[in-house]
Amino acid sequence: YRGRCKRVALCGCSGFSPGGLLGIVIDMSRRILLASMSAAAAVLLAIVLQTTTPATIHPLGIVLVFVLCYVVMLGLLTYLLAGIAAALRRWLPEAQWRAVTLSFRRCYYFGSVLALAPVLLIGARSVGRGGWYELALVFAFEAIACFYVAKR
């Protein structure tokens, strides 16, 4: 453990914040789970796209394509954001590290919001509505959602 939790009365925890070896193991297992789910979703998405056509697939298959696309984008964007944050921490002086400190959990939150944009755009395009207006609506939604995650 890292030490006493300063919010014992507020959070209702036992008083010790997790850390050390157990915290590292839990954090790494989450990262491995996300990477393996994204890889499995990419393989399943490739199989579905190669074996079916939009005319022959069941409606639940179409929903499956959208869900798999979301999971693949979630993994890609989460690791992309985590990589960018790590590169900035490495190249910036120590005095500016605090400005770019972005934990893997926050990268996951931002990735989950940003991964919805391609799915929304593909969905809008699939019903014949992929113009500038829809693009602006998706951009506005993403900006509001990212603002919410940043302030949380």
Side-chain angles (χ1 to χ4, degrees), residues 18-141:
L21 184 60
L22 180 63
I24 292 171
V25 169
I26 290 172
D27 188 47
M28 290 305 294
S29 65
R30 287 180 184 160
R31 291 177 188 216
I32 292 170
L33 180 66
L34 179 63
S36 61
M37 283 179 45
S38 296
V43 169
L44 283 172
L45 184 62
I47 290 171
V48 169
L49 291 178
Q50 292 297 319
T51 59
T52 61
T53 64
T56 61
I57 195 167
H58 191 270
L60 290 178
I62 295 172
V63 171
L64 179 69
V65 168
F66 284 114
V67 169
L68 291 175
C69 182
Y70 175 77
V71 172
V72 168
M73 292 304 296
L74 172 64
L76 289 175
L77 289 173
T78 300
Y79 281 103
L80 177 71
L81 290 173
I84 290 171
L88 286 176
R89 276 193 306 268
R90 185 174 195 172
W91 291 325
L92 289 177
E94 287 186 38
Q96 296 176 346
W97 277 7
R98 189 155 175 88
V100 294
T101 301
L102 195 61
S103 67
F104 188 76
R105 179 176 286 185
R106 286 185 59 89
C107 290
Y108 174 77
Y109 291 155
F110 280 110
S112 65
V113 168
L114 294 173
L116 194 58
V119 175
L120 291 175
L121 291 173
I122 292 170
R125 191 76 174 140
S126 69
V127 294
R129 308 284 280 180
W132 289 104
Y133 180 70
E134 288 78 13
L135 185 66
L137 286 177
V138 170
F139 181 76
F141 170 76

